[in-house]
Amino acid sequence: MKRIRFTLFVAAVTTVLYLAVEARQGLFSQPFSLKNFLIIGAFVAGASWIHRKRMARLASREIAATGLPGDRETNASPVRAYLGEVLCGDVRRPGRIVYMDWLRVLAAVLVVALHIIRSTVEKLPVHTPSWEFFSGLSSLFAVCNVLFVLISGALILGKRPGEKDDSILRFYGKKAVNVLVPCFLYFLFYMFYAFGLSALYPANWGNLLRQFAGNTTGLTPHFWLVHVILLFYVAAPFFKCLTRQMRDGTAAAMAAVIFLAHCYFLYGPYAGMGYVATTFLGAWDAVFLLGYFCTTNIALRLYRFLLAGAAAAVVFIIFAVHAIDSYEILVFNNAPPMLLLGCALFLTFRTYGDTVFSRIPSLLAVLAKYSFPVLMIHWFVFFEIVEKRLGVNGMMFVGGGLIGGLTRLPGLAAGMLLSTVLTLAISAAFAVVFDNTVVLCVETVLEGVSGRALGEKH
């Protein structure tokens, strides 16, 4: 009976996913593809089997600890307890930092809102009131990029009591499976959606790897940040050796040098000052080190100073949007104003981590766990589903007349807000499904292979 139920479940889910995949060209516009159906079915069956095994292990742990199955804190059934872990992560994991979950949610919301606002601003007359308002707002939201990097740096480089560092080989193996592979699989989804299953045939694998490494397809322009983070993981073991020996005073001095280096290399040419060489302290690599700085005690002591710096950064951004035509290079990405804003936001959440941000609602916990997948898939969701298929975008509530005028602000804001909410919801739903089917199956296989290669016992 269990096998029959399992078979029916797999068949039903496979059918739904097959129809969703075929919808990219219009439902029932193409002949039924048994090959595609079987490929999807294999992932669904494999993922279902893995989830059943993991749920059984979770129940066994609870029985061993309490004599009862399920979650001993919430009295949830084994299925409900496991589902909660899949969606929200292990909330009881020792050392889980809840304010980091809030930061992940903020970064995910801002990156989606940023791209939706920027796509709308491009349609507005330049330097009209609406253009200036939303250009300034999107410039502030661009801190999302720095937040993603700060969070990664803080989690990898931050010191936690009782933590044991992996060997370099094991670290690279784990990150290759848990970080690089999911990123590549999301890239493959973009390629599949654009060119069909033939793009993923073994004969094209070499070309796919080159396109992923160079981000040259034009389908994933937002993956530049993904590649920045991936490169950080290459240097992370060595950065960790550095930060493990670093005192708070040294960390503060390092943060000051990083900020000054960014100022010099970005703004120096405007004052006729340059230098024949550059340093990593003025590039994205150093922002990861700022993530470590934000976990130190001295960072909290400098919190008010950084808040003042962030306030000055906001003023500078507003001025730049209003007075400078090519303002983006002065305030976007890892420009000094973004560094000040990012560090101030990080420390705000950390300061109130034991009070305001000590707990996170389940709905936001889902977005926190899947924030990085949302970063990767939201571009597709907004432009291909929300805007193209559903017809929802920032301009949808704006009628005729001067679309850059103040009277259009509410309509523009409503369109952008609805677009952001829909994009976040669909992106999170997609990430939950994709991560727990395709990514899960591939990761499980690779974990088994890498574990045997490293001589680990499972």
Side-chain angles (χ1 to χ4, degrees):
M1 195 64 180
K2 289 183 178 180
R3 290 182 179 179
I4 294 175
R5 287 201 300 267
F6 179 77
T7 303
L8 291 175
F9 171 78
V10 170
V13 174
T14 300
T15 301
V16 171
L17 292 180
Y18 174 82
L19 292 174
V21 168
E22 292 300 308
R24 68 189 181 92
Q25 295 179 331
L27 277 178
F28 311 116
S29 63
Q30 301 292 321
F32 174 75
S33 172
L34 179 61
K35 180 170 60 176
N36 290 357
F37 188 86
L38 291 177
I39 290 173
I40 295 171
F43 278 112
V44 172
S48 301
W49 181 80
I50 295 168
H51 283 301
R52 287 181 64 184
K53 291 292 184 182
R54 291 186 173 184
M55 185 171 66
R57 285 200 297 269
L58 175 64
S60 298
R61 289 199 304 268
E62 294 298 340
I63 290 173
T66 66
L68 296 171
D71 191 321
R72 63 180 180 274
E73 293 183 3
T74 63
N75 294 320
S77 67
V79 174
R80 185 179 173 187
Y82 179 71
L83 184 61
E85 189 171 304
V86 167
L87 293 176
C88 304
D90 186 359
V91 296
R92 297 173 299 168
R93 186 183 72 245
R96 176 161 177 162
I97 307 172
V98 179
Y99 76 80
M100 290 275 197
D101 290 337
W102 283 97
L103 278 169
R104 289 191 188 97
V105 171
L106 177 62
V109 171
L110 291 183
V111 75
V112 172
L114 167 65
H115 289 135
I116 289 172
I117 294 174
R118 296 299 295 177
S119 71
T120 306
V121 165
E122 292 172 355
K123 302 178 179 72
L124 300 178
V126 177
H127 288 298
T128 55
S130 291
W131 182 92
E132 293 210 354
F133 176 82
F134 288 111
S135 293
L137 190 63
S138 65
S139 298
L140 295 176
F141 285 4
V143 74
C144 60
N145 297 323
V146 169
L147 284 178
F148 273 113
V149 178
L150 289 177
I151 292 168
S152 297
L155 290 174
I156 295 296
L157 303 178
K159 300 173 183 177
R160 286 184 288 277
E163 180 188 18
K164 293 183 179 180
D165 291 337
D166 292 324
S167 67
I168 293 179
L169 181 60
R170 177 170 168 76
F171 177 86
Y172 282 152
K174 288 170 63 176
K175 297 309 174 186
V177 172
N178 298 326
V179 180
L180 175 59
V181 168
C183 293
F184 185 62
L185 291 174
Y186 272 87
F187 168 77
L188 291 183
F189 171 80
Y190 278 88
M191 296 297 290
F192 164 75
Y193 187 84
F195 305 111
L197 190 62
S198 60
L200 311 185
Y201 287 170
N204 297 324
W205 288 356
N207 192 42
L208 287 171
L209 289 171
R210 286 191 293 270
Q211 290 175 322
F212 174 72
N215 199 25
T216 56
T217 64
L219 300 174
T220 56
H222 61 300
F223 264 47
W224 70 266
L225 181 60
V226 173
H227 286 76
V228 166
I229 294 173
L230 289 176
L231 283 179
F232 162 70
Y233 282 111
V234 175
F238 314 109
F239 280 175
K240 188 178 290 190
C241 294
L242 174 68
T243 57
R244 288 293 183 268
Q245 307 300 321
M246 193 176 290
R247 296 181 178 180
D248 280 3
T250 307
M254 176 190 69
V257 170
I258 289 171
F259 178 75
L260 292 174
H262 277 79
C263 286
Y264 182 84
F265 286 104
L266 181 59
Y267 301 139
Y270 292 92
M273 297 185 297
Y275 194 69
V276 69
T278 57
T279 171
F280 81 94
L281 292 172
W284 275 109
D285 305 66
V287 183
F288 288 98
L289 291 172
L290 282 181
Y292 163 74
F293 164 73
C294 288
T295 68
T296 62
N297 293 326
I298 198 167
L300 287 179
R301 295 200 292 272
L302 294 172
Y303 174 51
R304 293 181 182 275
F305 174 77
L306 288 168
L307 274 183
V314 171
V315 173
F316 176 75
I317 289 171
I318 294 172
F319 165 77
V321 170
H322 176 72
I324 303 172
D325 288 335
S326 299
Y327 68 91
E328 291 93 342
I329 192 173
L330 302 178
V331 300
F332 271 42
N333 296 328
N334 58 327
M338 291 294 105
L339 300 186
L340 289 170
L341 273 177
C343 289
L345 282 170
F346 191 108
L347 291 172
T348 297
F349 280 79
R350 184 184 169 198
T351 298
Y352 298 101
D354 294 329
T355 53
V356 179
F357 304 113
S358 62
R359 297 179 65 86
I360 186 167
S362 296
L363 187 61
L364 294 183
V366 175
L367 189 55
K369 181 179 178 182
Y370 293 95
S371 59
F372 196 57
V374 165
L375 164 66
M376 292 187 284
I377 200 59
H378 79 277
W379 191 273
F380 162 79
V381 170
F382 173 62
F383 289 107
E384 287 296 325
I385 298 179
V386 173
E387 185 174 51
K388 185 176 178 180
R389 302 295 177 107
L390 302 180
V392 177
N393 57 53
M395 307 294 290
M396 66 180 300
F397 296 123
V398 178
L402 182 62
I403 62 172
L406 285 173
T407 58
R408 303 305 183 200
L409 273 174
L412 290 167
M416 294 179 202
L417 179 60
L418 180 58
S419 299
T420 300
V421 171
L422 282 175
T423 302
L424 278 170
I426 297 172
S427 297
F430 181 98
V432 169
V433 174
F434 194 75
D435 277 26
N436 288 287
T437 51
V438 176
V439 175
L440 175 66
C441 290
V442 175
E443 281 186 340
T444 301
V445 171
L446 292 178
E447 283 172 356
V449 172
S450 62
R452 283 193 293 272
L454 293 173
E456 297 175 357
K457 296 180 180 180
H458 294 279

